[in-house]
Amino acid sequence: RPDDEIRMPDSKLALNDFEGIVELTSAMNSQYNNRTQVQELAREVLVSLFPPFILDRYPSWFATPFPEFSAKMCAWATVVGGTWLMGECEVNDVPEMNGGGKNQGVLVKRCRFLEESQCASICVNSCKLPTQNFFRRNMGLALTMTPDYETGECQFVYGRLPTEEEEREARETPCLMRCPSGGGMRSWHNDGSYGRGKETWLEDLEALAKLNGTNNNNGVPVGLACSLMED
């Protein structure tokens, strides 16, 4: 798309080489020490993968009038289109959701991206947060992703906004023992700051309150829902 600004040189590896994705992601995280910049770059990549007419119409044609149907459709599309990146995954139910959450979740059984990058900071800033932000901002649909760093699983829940507590727990996840940077990537990202007066996630909450009213689709007050980890 002509208005996209992906500011990273491409990998020299073959297009079908998964290592190329890991290489690009590691380079992006190494180039930018402000985690918000990394998250926004990763979201731009997701935007570039979709035709403009889908992103222009999906929120008003599907996500807003048919949120439950949209959640199920996105769960199905995630399995169909994302298995090559994440590994084996399946659509599942989310019983804690209002209405039972039937077919509104996706369970990634062992995330290939996490296993290859071996870095919690890359997982959070290049996958979890950008993907949540993409679906909320560009598709008009809430999404909560919960990675399990012990098992390698990741649970997607469509139609539910993450809470502040959940996002802070993800942000504070200790570096993995096998991290190739030995914790250096986390320190690098924690040093970056735009120097803005108000926390970024608080600004997002204010925007969410205006767009979605006082509660998200899971009955959680919007004032407690956070889409960014950046302080």
Side-chain angles (χ1 to χ4, degrees):
R1 297 173 60 183
D3 55 345
D4 288 334
E5 297 182 0
I6 309 302
R7 298 172 291 277
M8 288 296 302
D10 201 357
S11 171
K12 296 181 180 180
L13 296 176
L15 291 177
N16 61 352
D17 192 329
F18 190 82
E19 287 296 325
I21 296 176
V22 177
E23 178 185 289
L24 282 173
T25 306
S26 298
M28 178 176 66
N29 280 267
S30 298
Q31 181 172 335
Y32 297 95
N33 76 327
N34 186 296
R35 61 170 65 92
T36 301
Q37 289 177 292
V38 174
Q39 294 161 15
E40 188 61 17
L41 274 172
R43 188 180 69 86
E44 287 179 12
V45 172
L46 291 174
V47 169
S48 71
L49 299 177
F50 287 77
F53 73 89
I54 292 181
L55 299 182
D56 292 341
R57 294 170 175 79
Y58 194 88
S60 59
W61 286 15
F62 294 98
T64 300
F66 311 110
E68 186 174 335
F69 170 76
S70 297
K72 294 179 180 180
M73 183 163 60
C74 284
W76 172 82
T78 297
V79 172
V80 172
T83 299
W84 69 274
L85 175 64
M86 302 180 294
E88 183 181 359
C89 51
E90 63 183 16
V91 174
N92 64 356
D93 298 339
V94 188
E96 63 269 21
M97 290 280 292
N98 291 337
K102 185 172 180 59
N103 295 330
Q104 288 186 224
V106 172
L107 177 64
V108 181
K109 297 184 177 181
R110 189 173 181 86
C111 181
R112 184 184 183 190
F113 181 73
L114 174 61
E115 192 167 31
E116 292 292 336
S117 66
Q118 300 185 5
C119 179
S121 186
I122 287 179
C123 166
V124 170
N125 295 305
S126 300
C127 182
K128 172 182 162 62
L129 289 180
T131 304
Q132 290 178 171
N133 291 337
F134 166 76
F135 275 96
R136 182 179 64 77
R137 297 178 185 176
N138 300 101
M139 301 289 282
L141 185 66
L143 168 65
T144 297
M145 294 169 61
T146 307
D148 186 326
Y149 296 109
E150 294 294 329
T151 64
E153 292 180 344
C154 186
Q155 177 66 55
F156 287 56
V157 178
Y158 286 99
R160 178 182 180 276
L161 288 170
T163 65
E164 176 189 341
E165 180 181 0
E166 289 170 336
E167 298 300 76
R168 288 200 180 279
E169 285 180 0
R171 176 179 178 273
E172 294 167 2
T173 299
C175 288
L176 306 181
M177 292 290 292
R178 59 186 183 276
C179 178
S181 71
M185 192 70 73
R186 174 65 57 82
S187 298
W188 169 247
H189 286 157
N190 285 344
D191 286 341
S193 174
Y194 278 129
R196 297 170 66 182
K198 181 179 289 188
E199 294 182 344
T200 306
W201 66 268
L202 285 176
E203 292 186 345
D204 261 22
L205 294 187
E206 292 176 359
L208 282 171
K210 294 178 181 178
L211 288 173
N212 301 333
T214 58
N215 293 283
N216 68 17
N217 291 339
N218 197 39
V220 178
V222 171
L224 296 179
C226 168
S227 65
L228 288 175
M229 284 197 262
E230 176 73 2
D231 287 336

Short mmCIF file of all heavy atoms in Angstrom, two decimals, residues 21-78:
data_model
loop_
_atom_site.label_atom_id
_atom_site.label_comp_id
_atom_site.label_asym_id
_atom_site.label_seq_id
_atom_site.Cartn_x
_atom_site.Cartn_y
_atom_site.Cartn_z
N ILE A 21 11.62 -14.01 9.10
CA ILE A 21 10.69 -13.26 9.94
C ILE A 21 11.31 -12.98 11.30
O ILE A 21 11.24 -11.87 11.83
CB ILE A 21 9.37 -14.03 10.10
CG1 ILE A 21 8.68 -14.17 8.75
CG2 ILE A 21 8.45 -13.34 11.11
CD1 ILE A 21 7.42 -15.00 8.78
N VAL A 22 11.93 -13.99 11.86
CA VAL A 22 12.58 -13.83 13.16
C VAL A 22 13.72 -12.82 13.05
O VAL A 22 13.91 -11.98 13.94
CB VAL A 22 13.10 -15.19 13.68
CG1 VAL A 22 13.84 -15.01 15.00
CG2 VAL A 22 11.94 -16.18 13.84
N GLU A 23 14.47 -12.89 11.94
CA GLU A 23 15.57 -11.95 11.73
C GLU A 23 15.08 -10.52 11.65
O GLU A 23 15.64 -9.61 12.27
CB GLU A 23 16.30 -12.33 10.44
CG GLU A 23 17.45 -11.42 10.07
CD GLU A 23 18.05 -11.78 8.73
OE1 GLU A 23 18.72 -12.83 8.65
OE2 GLU A 23 17.84 -11.03 7.76
N LEU A 24 14.00 -10.29 10.88
CA LEU A 24 13.44 -8.95 10.75
C LEU A 24 12.91 -8.43 12.08
O LEU A 24 13.10 -7.27 12.43
CB LEU A 24 12.32 -8.95 9.71
CG LEU A 24 12.74 -8.95 8.24
CD1 LEU A 24 11.52 -9.14 7.35
CD2 LEU A 24 13.47 -7.66 7.90
N THR A 25 12.23 -9.30 12.82
CA THR A 25 11.66 -8.91 14.10
C THR A 25 12.76 -8.54 15.10
O THR A 25 12.66 -7.54 15.81
CB THR A 25 10.80 -10.04 14.68
OG1 THR A 25 9.82 -10.42 13.72
CG2 THR A 25 10.11 -9.59 15.95
N SER A 26 13.80 -9.34 15.14
CA SER A 26 14.92 -9.05 16.05
C SER A 26 15.60 -7.74 15.66
O SER A 26 15.97 -6.94 16.53
CB SER A 26 15.93 -10.20 16.02
OG SER A 26 15.35 -11.41 16.46
N ALA A 27 15.75 -7.51 14.35
CA ALA A 27 16.37 -6.27 13.88
C ALA A 27 15.53 -5.06 14.26
O ALA A 27 16.04 -4.03 14.69
CB ALA A 27 16.58 -6.32 12.38
N MET A 28 14.20 -5.19 14.13
CA MET A 28 13.31 -4.09 14.48
C MET A 28 13.40 -3.76 15.96
O MET A 28 13.46 -2.60 16.36
CB MET A 28 11.87 -4.45 14.10
CG MET A 28 10.84 -3.40 14.46
SD MET A 28 9.18 -3.84 13.89
CE MET A 28 8.84 -5.28 14.92
N ASN A 29 13.42 -4.80 16.79
CA ASN A 29 13.50 -4.58 18.23
C ASN A 29 14.86 -4.03 18.65
O ASN A 29 14.96 -3.33 19.65
CB ASN A 29 13.22 -5.89 18.97
CG ASN A 29 11.74 -6.20 19.08
OD1 ASN A 29 11.08 -5.87 20.04
ND2 ASN A 29 11.20 -6.86 18.05
N SER A 30 15.89 -4.36 17.90
CA SER A 30 17.22 -3.85 18.20
C SER A 30 17.39 -2.41 17.74
O SER A 30 18.16 -1.64 18.33
CB SER A 30 18.29 -4.73 17.53
OG SER A 30 18.23 -6.05 18.02
N GLN A 31 16.67 -2.02 16.69
CA GLN A 31 16.81 -0.67 16.13
C GLN A 31 16.09 0.38 16.97
O GLN A 31 16.56 1.50 17.10
CB GLN A 31 16.28 -0.65 14.70
CG GLN A 31 16.40 0.71 14.02
CD GLN A 31 16.04 0.65 12.55
OE1 GLN A 31 16.15 -0.40 11.91
NE2 GLN A 31 15.62 1.76 11.99
N TYR A 32 14.93 0.00 17.54
CA TYR A 32 14.12 0.97 18.28
C TYR A 32 14.06 0.58 19.75
O TYR A 32 13.63 -0.52 20.09
CB TYR A 32 12.70 1.02 17.72
CG TYR A 32 12.64 1.48 16.29
CD1 TYR A 32 12.61 0.55 15.25
CD2 TYR A 32 12.62 2.83 15.96
CE1 TYR A 32 12.56 0.96 13.93
CE2 TYR A 32 12.57 3.25 14.65
CZ TYR A 32 12.55 2.32 13.64
OH TYR A 32 12.50 2.73 12.33
N ASN A 33 14.51 1.49 20.62
CA ASN A 33 14.48 1.16 22.04
C ASN A 33 13.22 1.65 22.74
O ASN A 33 13.04 1.40 23.92
CB ASN A 33 15.72 1.70 22.76
CG ASN A 33 15.65 3.20 23.01
OD1 ASN A 33 15.07 3.94 22.23
ND2 ASN A 33 16.25 3.65 24.10
N ASN A 34 12.34 2.34 22.00
CA ASN A 34 11.06 2.71 22.58
C ASN A 34 10.04 1.66 22.17
O ASN A 34 9.77 1.48 20.99
CB ASN A 34 10.63 4.10 22.09
CG ASN A 34 9.38 4.57 22.81
OD1 ASN A 34 8.32 3.97 22.67
ND2 ASN A 34 9.50 5.65 23.57
N ARG A 35 9.47 0.97 23.14
CA ARG A 35 8.59 -0.15 22.83
C ARG A 35 7.35 0.28 22.05
O ARG A 35 6.80 -0.50 21.27
CB ARG A 35 8.17 -0.89 24.11
CG ARG A 35 7.40 -0.06 25.11
CD ARG A 35 6.83 -0.94 26.22
NE ARG A 35 7.87 -1.55 27.02
CZ ARG A 35 8.36 -1.00 28.13
NH1 ARG A 35 7.92 0.17 28.53
NH2 ARG A 35 9.28 -1.61 28.83
N THR A 36 6.90 1.53 22.23
CA THR A 36 5.74 1.99 21.48
C THR A 36 6.05 2.08 19.99
O THR A 36 5.21 1.78 19.15
CB THR A 36 5.27 3.37 22.00
OG1 THR A 36 4.95 3.26 23.38
CG2 THR A 36 4.04 3.85 21.25
N GLN A 37 7.26 2.49 19.64
CA GLN A 37 7.67 2.51 18.24
C GLN A 37 7.67 1.11 17.65
O GLN A 37 7.21 0.90 16.52
CB GLN A 37 9.07 3.12 18.11
CG GLN A 37 9.13 4.62 18.38
CD GLN A 37 10.57 5.13 18.29
OE1 GLN A 37 11.40 4.78 19.14
NE2 GLN A 37 10.85 5.93 17.30
N VAL A 38 8.18 0.15 18.40
CA VAL A 38 8.21 -1.24 17.94
C VAL A 38 6.79 -1.75 17.73
O VAL A 38 6.47 -2.38 16.71
CB VAL A 38 8.96 -2.13 18.96
CG1 VAL A 38 8.87 -3.60 18.55
CG2 VAL A 38 10.41 -1.72 19.09
N GLN A 39 5.91 -1.48 18.69
CA GLN A 39 4.53 -1.93 18.58
C GLN A 39 3.84 -1.32 17.37
O GLN A 39 3.08 -2.00 16.66
CB GLN A 39 3.77 -1.55 19.86
CG GLN A 39 4.26 -2.27 21.10
CD GLN A 39 3.85 -1.57 22.39
OE1 GLN A 39 2.98 -0.69 22.38
NE2 GLN A 39 4.47 -1.95 23.49
N GLU A 40 4.09 -0.05 17.10
CA GLU A 40 3.43 0.62 15.99
C GLU A 40 3.96 0.10 14.65
O GLU A 40 3.20 -0.07 13.70
CB GLU A 40 3.63 2.13 16.09
CG GLU A 40 2.82 2.93 15.08
CD GLU A 40 1.32 2.74 15.23
OE1 GLU A 40 0.87 2.26 16.30
OE2 GLU A 40 0.60 3.06 14.27
N LEU A 41 5.25 -0.15 14.57
CA LEU A 41 5.82 -0.73 13.35
C LEU A 41 5.21 -2.09 13.06
O LEU A 41 4.86 -2.40 11.92
CB LEU A 41 7.34 -0.86 13.49
CG LEU A 41 8.18 0.37 13.13
CD1 LEU A 41 9.63 0.14 13.52
CD2 LEU A 41 8.08 0.66 11.64
N ALA A 42 5.09 -2.92 14.10
CA ALA A 42 4.51 -4.25 13.91
C ALA A 42 3.04 -4.15 13.51
O ALA A 42 2.57 -4.94 12.67
CB ALA A 42 4.66 -5.05 15.19
N ARG A 43 2.32 -3.19 14.06
CA ARG A 43 0.92 -3.01 13.65
C ARG A 43 0.85 -2.58 12.18
O ARG A 43 -0.04 -3.01 11.44
CB ARG A 43 0.23 -1.97 14.54
CG ARG A 43 -1.28 -1.87 14.30
CD ARG A 43 -1.90 -0.83 15.20
NE ARG A 43 -1.48 0.52 14.83
CZ ARG A 43 -2.09 1.27 13.89
NH1 ARG A 43 -3.14 0.78 13.22
NH2 ARG A 43 -1.65 2.48 13.61
N GLU A 44 1.77 -1.72 11.75
CA GLU A 44 1.80 -1.30 10.35
C GLU A 44 2.00 -2.48 9.41
O GLU A 44 1.44 -2.52 8.31
CB GLU A 44 2.91 -0.27 10.13
CG GLU A 44 2.63 1.10 10.72
CD GLU A 44 3.78 2.06 10.50
OE1 GLU A 44 4.68 1.73 9.70
OE2 GLU A 44 3.78 3.14 11.11
N VAL A 45 2.80 -3.45 9.86
CA VAL A 45 3.00 -4.65 9.05
C VAL A 45 1.67 -5.39 8.87
O VAL A 45 1.32 -5.82 7.76
CB VAL A 45 4.05 -5.58 9.69
CG1 VAL A 45 4.11 -6.92 8.96
CG2 VAL A 45 5.43 -4.93 9.69
N LEU A 46 0.92 -5.53 9.96
CA LEU A 46 -0.38 -6.19 9.87
C LEU A 46 -1.33 -5.42 8.94
O LEU A 46 -2.04 -6.02 8.14
CB LEU A 46 -1.00 -6.32 11.26
CG LEU A 46 -0.32 -7.30 12.21
CD1 LEU A 46 -0.94 -7.21 13.60
CD2 LEU A 46 -0.39 -8.73 11.68
N VAL A 47 -1.33 -4.10 9.06
CA VAL A 47 -2.18 -3.28 8.20
C VAL A 47 -1.83 -3.51 6.73
O VAL A 47 -2.71 -3.59 5.86
CB VAL A 47 -2.02 -1.79 8.57
CG1 VAL A 47 -2.68 -0.90 7.51
CG2 VAL A 47 -2.62 -1.51 9.94
N SER A 48 -0.55 -3.62 6.43
CA SER A 48 -0.11 -3.77 5.04
C SER A 48 -0.54 -5.09 4.42
O SER A 48 -0.53 -5.25 3.20
CB SER A 48 1.42 -3.64 4.96
OG SER A 48 2.05 -4.78 5.52
N LEU A 49 -0.93 -6.06 5.25
CA LEU A 49 -1.33 -7.37 4.75
C LEU A 49 -2.78 -7.42 4.30
O LEU A 49 -3.20 -8.39 3.66
CB LEU A 49 -1.10 -8.44 5.83
CG LEU A 49 0.34 -8.64 6.31
CD1 LEU A 49 0.37 -9.66 7.43
CD2 LEU A 49 1.24 -9.07 5.17
N PHE A 50 -3.56 -6.39 4.63
CA PHE A 50 -4.99 -6.41 4.33
C PHE A 50 -5.33 -5.38 3.25
O PHE A 50 -4.82 -4.25 3.28
CB PHE A 50 -5.80 -6.09 5.58
CG PHE A 50 -5.84 -7.22 6.57
CD1 PHE A 50 -4.75 -7.47 7.39
CD2 PHE A 50 -6.95 -8.03 6.68
CE1 PHE A 50 -4.77 -8.52 8.31
CE2 PHE A 50 -6.99 -9.08 7.59
CZ PHE A 50 -5.89 -9.32 8.40
N PRO A 51 -6.22 -5.72 2.33
CA PRO A 51 -6.69 -4.74 1.33
C PRO A 51 -7.39 -3.59 2.05
O PRO A 51 -8.11 -3.81 3.03
CB PRO A 51 -7.68 -5.55 0.49
CG PRO A 51 -7.32 -6.98 0.71
CD PRO A 51 -6.81 -7.06 2.11
N PRO A 52 -7.21 -2.37 1.59
CA PRO A 52 -7.83 -1.21 2.25
C PRO A 52 -9.33 -1.32 2.41
O PRO A 52 -9.88 -0.89 3.42
CB PRO A 52 -7.44 -0.04 1.34
CG PRO A 52 -6.20 -0.49 0.64
CD PRO A 52 -6.35 -1.97 0.46
N PHE A 53 -10.02 -1.92 1.43
CA PHE A 53 -11.48 -1.96 1.52
C PHE A 53 -11.96 -2.80 2.70
O PHE A 53 -13.03 -2.54 3.26
CB PHE A 53 -12.09 -2.46 0.20
CG PHE A 53 -11.93 -3.93 -0.06
CD1 PHE A 53 -12.88 -4.84 0.41
CD2 PHE A 53 -10.86 -4.41 -0.77
CE1 PHE A 53 -12.73 -6.20 0.17
CE2 PHE A 53 -10.70 -5.76 -1.02
CZ PHE A 53 -11.63 -6.67 -0.55
N ILE A 54 -11.18 -3.80 3.10
CA ILE A 54 -11.56 -4.61 4.26
C ILE A 54 -11.43 -3.79 5.54
O ILE A 54 -12.34 -3.75 6.38
CB ILE A 54 -10.69 -5.88 4.35
CG1 ILE A 54 -11.03 -6.83 3.20
CG2 ILE A 54 -10.91 -6.58 5.70
CD1 ILE A 54 -10.25 -8.13 3.24
N LEU A 55 -10.30 -3.11 5.68
CA LEU A 55 -10.08 -2.31 6.90
C LEU A 55 -11.03 -1.13 6.95
O LEU A 55 -11.43 -0.69 8.04
CB LEU A 55 -8.63 -1.83 6.95
CG LEU A 55 -7.57 -2.92 6.99
CD1 LEU A 55 -6.17 -2.30 7.09
CD2 LEU A 55 -7.78 -3.88 8.15
N ASP A 56 -11.42 -0.59 5.79
CA ASP A 56 -12.32 0.56 5.76
C ASP A 56 -13.75 0.17 6.14
O ASP A 56 -14.48 0.98 6.73
CB ASP A 56 -12.33 1.20 4.37
CG ASP A 56 -11.00 1.87 4.04
OD1 ASP A 56 -10.23 2.15 4.98
OD2 ASP A 56 -10.73 2.11 2.84
N ARG A 57 -14.15 -1.06 5.81
CA ARG A 57 -15.55 -1.44 5.96
C ARG A 57 -15.83 -2.40 7.11
O ARG A 57 -16.95 -2.44 7.61
CB ARG A 57 -16.06 -2.04 4.65
CG ARG A 57 -16.10 -1.04 3.50
CD ARG A 57 -16.37 -1.73 2.17
NE ARG A 57 -16.53 -0.75 1.09
CZ ARG A 57 -15.53 -0.14 0.49
NH1 ARG A 57 -14.29 -0.40 0.87
NH2 ARG A 57 -15.75 0.73 -0.49
N TYR A 58 -14.85 -3.19 7.50
CA TYR A 58 -15.11 -4.23 8.49
C TYR A 58 -15.68 -3.68 9.80
O TYR A 58 -16.64 -4.24 10.34
CB TYR A 58 -13.84 -5.05 8.76
CG TYR A 58 -14.13 -6.33 9.51
CD1 TYR A 58 -14.46 -7.50 8.83
CD2 TYR A 58 -14.10 -6.37 10.90
CE1 TYR A 58 -14.75 -8.67 9.51
CE2 TYR A 58 -14.39 -7.54 11.59
CZ TYR A 58 -14.71 -8.67 10.89
OH TYR A 58 -15.02 -9.83 11.56
N PRO A 59 -15.11 -2.61 10.36
CA PRO A 59 -15.65 -2.11 11.63
C PRO A 59 -17.13 -1.74 11.56
O PRO A 59 -17.91 -2.09 12.46
CB PRO A 59 -14.78 -0.88 11.93
CG PRO A 59 -13.49 -1.16 11.23
CD PRO A 59 -13.90 -1.86 9.97
N SER A 60 -17.55 -1.04 10.51
CA SER A 60 -18.94 -0.57 10.42
C SER A 60 -19.88 -1.62 9.85
O SER A 60 -21.07 -1.64 10.19
CB SER A 60 -19.01 0.70 9.57
OG SER A 60 -18.51 0.47 8.26
N TRP A 61 -19.38 -2.52 9.01
CA TRP A 61 -20.24 -3.52 8.40
C TRP A 61 -20.38 -4.79 9.23
O TRP A 61 -21.40 -5.47 9.16
CB TRP A 61 -19.71 -3.90 7.02
CG TRP A 61 -19.92 -2.85 5.96
CD1 TRP A 61 -20.25 -1.54 6.16
CD2 TRP A 61 -19.78 -3.02 4.56
NE1 TRP A 61 -20.32 -0.87 4.97
CE2 TRP A 61 -20.05 -1.76 3.95
CE3 TRP A 61 -19.48 -4.09 3.73
CZ2 TRP A 61 -20.01 -1.56 2.58
CZ3 TRP A 61 -19.44 -3.90 2.35
CH2 TRP A 61 -19.70 -2.65 1.79
N PHE A 62 -19.35 -5.11 10.02
CA PHE A 62 -19.37 -6.38 10.76
C PHE A 62 -19.13 -6.22 12.26
O PHE A 62 -19.95 -6.65 13.08
CB PHE A 62 -18.32 -7.34 10.17
CG PHE A 62 -18.61 -7.78 8.77
CD1 PHE A 62 -18.00 -7.15 7.70
CD2 PHE A 62 -19.50 -8.81 8.52
CE1 PHE A 62 -18.27 -7.54 6.40
CE2 PHE A 62 -19.78 -9.21 7.22
CZ PHE A 62 -19.17 -8.58 6.15
N ALA A 63 -17.99 -5.64 12.65
CA ALA A 63 -17.60 -5.63 14.06
C ALA A 63 -18.61 -4.91 14.94
O ALA A 63 -18.94 -5.38 16.03
CB ALA A 63 -16.22 -4.99 14.21
N THR A 64 -19.09 -3.76 14.50
CA THR A 64 -20.03 -2.99 15.33
C THR A 64 -21.43 -3.59 15.35
O THR A 64 -21.99 -3.82 16.43
CB THR A 64 -20.08 -1.53 14.87
OG1 THR A 64 -18.78 -0.95 15.00
CG2 THR A 64 -21.06 -0.73 15.72
N PRO A 65 -22.05 -3.89 14.21
CA PRO A 65 -23.40 -4.43 14.25
C PRO A 65 -23.47 -5.91 14.65
O PRO A 65 -24.48 -6.36 15.20
CB PRO A 65 -23.91 -4.23 12.82
CG PRO A 65 -22.69 -4.21 11.99
CD PRO A 65 -21.62 -3.58 12.83
N PHE A 66 -22.42 -6.67 14.38
CA PHE A 66 -22.44 -8.11 14.66
C PHE A 66 -21.17 -8.53 15.42
O PHE A 66 -20.33 -9.27 14.89
CB PHE A 66 -22.54 -8.91 13.36
CG PHE A 66 -23.63 -8.44 12.43
CD1 PHE A 66 -23.31 -7.80 11.24
CD2 PHE A 66 -24.96 -8.62 12.76
CE1 PHE A 66 -24.31 -7.36 10.38
CE2 PHE A 66 -25.97 -8.19 11.91
CZ PHE A 66 -25.65 -7.55 10.72
N PRO A 67 -20.98 -8.07 16.66
CA PRO A 67 -19.73 -8.33 17.38
C PRO A 67 -19.46 -9.81 17.65
O PRO A 67 -18.32 -10.26 17.51
CB PRO A 67 -19.90 -7.55 18.68
CG PRO A 67 -21.38 -7.37 18.83
CD PRO A 67 -21.91 -7.26 17.44
N GLU A 68 -20.49 -10.57 18.01
CA GLU A 68 -20.27 -11.99 18.31
C GLU A 68 -19.92 -12.76 17.04
O GLU A 68 -19.00 -13.59 17.03
CB GLU A 68 -21.52 -12.58 18.96
CG GLU A 68 -21.32 -14.02 19.43
CD GLU A 68 -22.52 -14.56 20.20
OE1 GLU A 68 -23.27 -13.73 20.77
OE2 GLU A 68 -22.70 -15.79 20.22
N PHE A 69 -20.65 -12.49 15.97
CA PHE A 69 -20.35 -13.13 14.70
C PHE A 69 -18.95 -12.76 14.23
O PHE A 69 -18.19 -13.61 13.73
CB PHE A 69 -21.38 -12.71 13.65
CG PHE A 69 -21.03 -13.13 12.25
CD1 PHE A 69 -21.17 -14.45 11.84
CD2 PHE A 69 -20.52 -12.20 11.34
CE1 PHE A 69 -20.84 -14.83 10.54
CE2 PHE A 69 -20.18 -12.57 10.05
CZ PHE A 69 -20.34 -13.89 9.65
N SER A 70 -18.58 -11.50 14.38
CA SER A 70 -17.26 -11.03 13.97
C SER A 70 -16.16 -11.71 14.76
O SER A 70 -15.10 -12.05 14.21
CB SER A 70 -17.17 -9.51 14.13
OG SER A 70 -18.09 -8.85 13.31
N ALA A 71 -16.39 -11.90 16.07
CA ALA A 71 -15.41 -12.57 16.91
C ALA A 71 -15.18 -14.00 16.44
O ALA A 71 -14.03 -14.47 16.33
CB ALA A 71 -15.87 -12.56 18.36
N LYS A 72 -16.27 -14.70 16.12
CA LYS A 72 -16.15 -16.08 15.64
C LYS A 72 -15.46 -16.13 14.28
O LYS A 72 -14.65 -17.02 14.01
CB LYS A 72 -17.53 -16.72 15.57
CG LYS A 72 -18.20 -16.89 16.93
CD LYS A 72 -19.59 -17.49 16.79
CE LYS A 72 -20.23 -17.66 18.16
NZ LYS A 72 -21.59 -18.26 18.08
N MET A 73 -15.81 -15.20 13.41
CA MET A 73 -15.21 -15.17 12.07
C MET A 73 -13.71 -14.90 12.16
O MET A 73 -12.91 -15.52 11.45
CB MET A 73 -15.89 -14.12 11.20
CG MET A 73 -15.38 -14.08 9.78
SD MET A 73 -16.48 -13.21 8.63
CE MET A 73 -16.52 -11.58 9.37
N CYS A 74 -13.30 -13.98 13.04
CA CYS A 74 -11.88 -13.67 13.17
C CYS A 74 -11.12 -14.84 13.81
O CYS A 74 -9.96 -15.08 13.48
CB CYS A 74 -11.70 -12.40 14.00
SG CYS A 74 -12.06 -10.88 13.08
N ALA A 75 -11.77 -15.55 14.72
CA ALA A 75 -11.14 -16.73 15.33
C ALA A 75 -10.87 -17.78 14.25
O ALA A 75 -9.77 -18.36 14.17
CB ALA A 75 -12.02 -17.30 16.43
N TRP A 76 -11.86 -18.01 13.40
CA TRP A 76 -11.69 -18.97 12.30
C TRP A 76 -10.60 -18.51 11.35
O TRP A 76 -9.73 -19.30 10.94
CB TRP A 76 -13.02 -19.13 11.56
CG TRP A 76 -12.91 -19.95 10.31
CD1 TRP A 76 -12.92 -21.31 10.21
CD2 TRP A 76 -12.76 -19.44 8.98
NE1 TRP A 76 -12.79 -21.69 8.89
CE2 TRP A 76 -12.69 -20.56 8.12
CE3 TRP A 76 -12.70 -18.16 8.43
CZ2 TRP A 76 -12.55 -20.43 6.74
CZ3 TRP A 76 -12.55 -18.03 7.06
CH2 TRP A 76 -12.47 -19.15 6.22
N ALA A 77 -10.59 -17.22 11.00
CA ALA A 77 -9.60 -16.70 10.06
C ALA A 77 -8.19 -16.76 10.65
O ALA A 77 -7.22 -16.96 9.91
CB ALA A 77 -9.95 -15.26 9.69
N THR A 78 -8.09 -16.60 11.96
CA THR A 78 -6.77 -16.67 12.61
C THR A 78 -6.17 -18.06 12.46
O THR A 78 -4.98 -18.20 12.18
CB THR A 78 -6.91 -16.31 14.11
OG1 THR A 78 -7.36 -14.96 14.23
CG2 THR A 78 -5.57 -16.45 14.82
#
